[in-house]
Amino acid sequence: MGIMTFLSSFRVGQQTVYPEELCERLKSFALLENVGDAALRNLLAEANWFALPGGTLLERDGENNAALFLVVTGSLGVFTATQQGQRQFVAHIPAGETVGEMSLIAGSSNHSAQLVALRDTELLRISPEGFETLIARHPRVMMNLMQMLVKRLKDANRGRSPKSQPKTFAIVPLQDGLSEVPVAQRLTNALAAMGCRAAVVDVNASDQTAEWFNSFEQAHDIVFYRGDGPDTPWTQLCLRQADRIFLLARANQPLPLVPLGLPAFKERAAGLPELLLLHPDGASTVLPDHFSVRNGLFRAHHHLRAGHQADVDRVARFIAGRAVGLVLAGGGARGFAHIGIIKALKEAGVPFDQLGGTSMGAIIAAGLAREWSLEEMRERMRAVFVDDNPLSDFTYPMVALVRGKKVSARLRENFDEVAIEELPLPFFAVSSDLTTGRIHVHRDGKLWRALRASVALPGILPPVTHHGHLLVDGGVMNNLPVDVMREQGNSGPIIACDVTGEVDLRATSEHYGERPWWLAWRRDRGNPSIISILMRSGTVGSEAQRRIVRQQCDYLIEPPMPHIGLRDWKKFDLAIQEGYDTARACIDKNGVPMAHVTGDGLDMSLPHVVVAT
């Protein structure tokens, strides 16, 4: 049906006659540039025209072994094996491009890559003998092919990715009664407001040809294929045609117990689907039965609350590759500067679409994810850290200097029993797993407990246990988790706020530490205490990692704060002001940290900006 109703050829005597639509389309391809109608006719005489449904592997045996393939409509994905034996997506071959030319020219049948139809695709197959006949008559074809290969080589040397920005998205209902919910149209309107050419294709287009779908996609930046039911012929077509898949479900109804049946190889090409959860009551604290971030049904989820246009706008930015990620570093009292930085970014109109952080940065990012206002965040942080020191319930140091019950109580008071996956905004926190020697990324479970692990500085707070593992402060291994944000697939700008500072501890005398009574007498003169030493020791080990990940962000905001230490809780207002002033100067100098659009559609160019402070 629909896109599988491919254009048909017919025979007149011994000659195969192709439709005029195909002939006209081929004239625009780089391989056939300036070669004339005679070469086009000879190409078609030597070619076989066939269809490959979306998600299907192009077998490289028999007559496909050393053939050259010309993608007429649709697109192919190129997959290679990693050192671990897993297949990874490395290149995208759109309509008008060729594939298989290296095997044809080299005469090799050793194919290290797999070719998969990313959507329903039409191909012309040209055998080695047919290609030799073609270039013997029309040498210009070989010249065009060589120019195409040279261009690909130049692009590779310039670091341009062979992958493409996803442009087709299937929105598939998981439950009955969702086919008329206008989520696709609302996303289209949000994208249009950004200057993006977006459109929706529904079941009314089921009888259109492959050429129609191809032309429709070419005319738009983003196309939504809206499924008409959980498992219908049209929905299956939508899945085959999509670069990315969204599953639509109501939060007050159970989810299916088994993962969605995707076409062969589709999961490898598109990745696991993302879940759009509809909340008719306007709140995001309800999750459907059978919801689990580890059930293999989806790789990420987004809450769409009734009456919250900001939720639709946020998902639209994810789709357009413009979602703004904010990563906040740990740093004790210096972390209060994050509040000032957030204030400056909000005043500049910067949205926050993904949030993550470590230690104090994780706490403040969690407040943002819970949609606290800036005033509420200031009041809560002041009450916990300035008016009442949570690190004051000292105990006999068998595990740590502080019992940790006071910290846990304050976290529970402020974040209740909400789970991370219930938060309106995507959020993660980072802790360090002493059992495995690796970082632990918290994306689900009780929010307060994840934060308790992320702030558990070794020697000061007891570790948090997780399935028998010991979790401590994330700053031990990764105090600025920009890489975690990037690995989540965020293709939009990432703003990193680093408050660590280069030098935090100094001693005023070379006798420091050698004479305990002398230390007690000099304590009020700037010499660090055991808690300050442990706090700094908990992050100094990740300095090398921190310097690496700083290069992975698009905007780096780094308040200097030379007179604010890790335990200077009383300098709360000063830290906020310094964060605000630094961010304001960054915005005035470098502009607003967001990708933008042009009249010709999405423009994803974004400069790498490092703030010199």
Side-chain angles (χ1 to χ4, degrees):
M1 66 173 292
I3 202 169
M4 295 305 296
T5 307
F6 290 89
L7 298 170
S8 59
S9 60
F10 58 93
R11 295 184 68 83
V12 177
Q14 298 299 316
Q15 183 178 6
T16 301
V17 179
Y18 292 94
E20 188 63 28
E21 294 94 329
L22 175 62
C23 299
E24 288 299 318
R25 179 160 181 75
L26 292 178
K27 291 179 181 180
S28 65
F29 290 177
L31 182 69
L32 301 172
E33 186 177 1
N34 299 323
V35 299
D37 292 342
L40 178 59
R41 290 193 297 270
N42 290 329
L43 169 70
L44 291 174
E46 299 294 341
N48 299 109
W49 187 24
F50 67 100
L52 198 63
T56 304
L57 176 69
L58 177 61
E59 300 288 352
R60 304 299 298 278
D61 55 5
E63 57 187 356
N64 289 343
N65 182 37
L68 174 70
F69 299 94
L70 181 59
V71 182
V72 179
T73 64
S75 62
L76 295 177
V78 181
F79 295 82
T80 59
T82 64
Q83 292 182 347
Q84 293 75 29
Q86 299 177 337
R87 287 282 170 177
Q88 63 178 355
F89 179 43
V90 296
H92 169 253
I93 311 298
E97 293 287 330
T98 61
V99 67
E101 59 278 332
M102 300 305 293
S103 297
L104 183 145
I105 294 172
S108 171
S109 60
N110 182 19
H111 306 294
S112 59
Q114 287 183 332
L115 302 177
V116 177
L118 299 181
R119 61 193 69 172
D120 287 351
T121 301
E122 290 178 332
L123 299 163
L124 283 176
R125 176 179 55 236
I126 308 172
S127 67
E129 298 78 16
F131 187 73
E132 289 183 10
T133 301
L134 179 66
I135 61 175
R137 296 178 180 177
H138 308 282
R140 178 69 192 181
V141 175
M142 175 57 85
M143 179 62 69
N144 289 344
L145 181 61
M146 292 298 101
Q147 289 175 345
M148 293 169 64
L149 294 177
V150 169
K151 181 179 182 300
R152 290 181 191 174
L153 181 60
K154 287 182 177 180
D155 288 345
N157 289 337
R158 291 170 183 168
R160 295 179 181 175
S161 172
K163 302 179 184 179
S164 67
Q165 182 74 18
K167 72 177 302 178
T168 59
F169 296 81
I171 298 183
V172 177
L174 283 181
Q175 302 152 346
D176 293 326
L178 289 173
S179 59
E180 298 303 320
V181 176
V183 170
Q185 190 57 54
R186 294 177 66 191
L187 289 170
T188 298
N189 296 340
L191 288 163
M194 301 179 195
C196 177
R197 297 166 297 185
V200 180
V201 177
D202 59 22
V203 68
N204 294 321
S206 60
D207 293 330
Q208 296 291 350
T209 64
E211 179 63 26
W212 183 90
F213 283 95
N214 190 81
S215 298
F216 191 85
E217 292 176 10
Q218 291 296 321
H220 296 87
D221 298 313
I222 289 172
V223 175
F224 293 103
Y225 283 86
R226 190 176 70 186
D228 59 344
D231 187 16
T232 66
W234 169 251
T235 291
Q236 288 301 313
L237 187 150
C238 293
L239 292 174
R240 294 197 310 269
Q241 196 69 2
D243 294 328
R244 293 288 187 271
I245 298 168
F246 284 108
L247 307 177
L248 187 63
R250 290 190 177 96
N252 57 3
Q253 295 180 9
L255 295 178
L257 289 173
V258 295
L260 185 70
L262 297 179
F265 290 92
K266 194 64 181 181
E267 182 179 321
R268 184 180 297 173
L272 280 174
E274 297 184 47
L275 181 65
L276 300 178
L277 272 178
L278 300 176
H279 297 270
D281 59 354
S284 64
T285 55
V286 177
L287 296 175
D289 293 339
H290 313 144
F291 178 96
S292 173
V293 298
R294 297 186 179 90
N295 65 358
L297 181 67
F298 56 90
R299 66 182 177 90
H301 66 284
H302 306 271
H303 296 286
L304 295 177
R305 296 165 293 175
H308 286 68
Q309 181 61 34
D311 291 350
V312 177
D313 294 340
R314 180 169 56 255
V315 175
R317 286 190 292 272
F318 274 103
I319 289 170
R322 297 177 59 199
V324 179
L326 180 67
V327 180
L328 306 181
R334 295 169 64 92
F336 296 144
H338 293 316
I339 301 174
I341 293 171
I342 292 167
K343 178 183 178 182
L345 292 173
K346 278 180 171 286
E347 289 178 352
V350 178
F352 304 120
D353 300 311
Q354 291 189 96
L355 301 164
T358 296
S359 200
M360 179 64 81
I363 292 177
I364 293 176
L368 266 185
R370 289 216 68 184
E371 299 183 319
W372 290 347
S373 68
L374 284 173
E375 186 58 35
E376 181 180 5
M377 186 176 295
R378 289 183 69 134
E379 290 177 359
R380 288 178 180 269
M381 294 297 103
R382 186 189 299 275
V384 171
F385 292 99
V386 180
D387 300 339
D388 180 21
N389 181 9
L391 298 178
S392 60
D393 54 340
F394 292 97
T395 184
Y396 188 78
M398 293 185 65
V399 177
L401 293 175
V402 175
R403 296 174 64 190
K405 287 189 175 183
K406 197 170 181 180
V407 172
S408 297
R410 296 297 175 268
L411 290 173
R412 295 185 77 165
E413 288 171 6
N414 284 277
F415 295 101
D416 304 319
E417 295 297 323
V418 66
I420 293 175
E421 55 268 41
E422 295 172 341
L423 293 170
L425 277 67
F427 168 83
F428 70 85
V430 171
S431 63
S432 301
D433 190 334
L434 295 182
T435 305
T436 63
R438 301 172 182 172
I439 67 168
H440 182 93
V441 182
H442 301 263
R443 294 192 178 94
D444 61 347
K446 296 298 183 183
L447 175 59
W448 75 265
R449 190 166 175 82
L451 297 176
R452 172 64 177 79
S454 189
V455 302
L457 275 162
I460 297 179
L461 285 168
V464 171
T465 59
H466 179 75
H467 299 301
H469 290 215
L470 297 179
L471 304 182
V472 298
D473 194 295
V476 173
M477 296 179 182
N478 193 340
N479 200 47
L480 187 66
V482 178
D483 51 337
V484 177
M485 179 73 76
R486 188 67 75 187
E487 288 167 2
Q488 291 187 162
N490 183 37
S491 58
I494 295 179
I495 306 168
C497 305
D498 190 359
V499 296
T500 307
E502 295 299 325
V503 180
D504 285 319
L505 298 183
R506 291 186 178 89
T508 59
S509 171
E510 62 182 16
H511 299 295
Y512 170 75
E514 297 177 0
R515 304 171 184 173
W517 293 110
W518 177 89
L519 176 61
W521 177 64
R522 301 278 295 184
R523 184 176 180 181
D524 61 338
R525 303 190 184 185
N527 291 287
S529 68
I530 183 173
I531 293 182
S532 297
I533 294 172
L534 288 173
M535 290 182 71
R536 181 56 177 158
S537 299
T539 59
V540 72
S542 65
E543 278 298 303
Q545 168 76 2
R546 168 176 164 259
R547 294 178 187 277
I548 292 173
V549 299
R550 282 158 60 101
Q551 301 302 314
Q552 298 181 27
C553 64
D554 300 290
Y555 278 75
L556 176 64
I557 302 177
E558 187 178 24
M561 299 184 290
H563 305 299
I564 300 178
L566 296 173
R567 298 177 60 210
D568 286 337
W569 311 112
K570 300 298 182 181
K571 295 182 179 179
F572 180 82
D573 294 313
L574 178 61
I576 292 175
Q577 188 62 46
E578 293 212 16
Y580 177 83
D581 292 341
T582 302
R584 188 71 260 172
C586 169
I587 293 169
D588 292 342
K589 178 181 178 181
N590 301 304
V592 178
M594 289 178 63
H596 55 285
V597 296
T598 67
D600 297 326
L602 291 177
D603 177 6
M604 290 310 302
S605 60
L606 184 72
H608 180 81
V609 179
V610 176
V611 181
T613 55

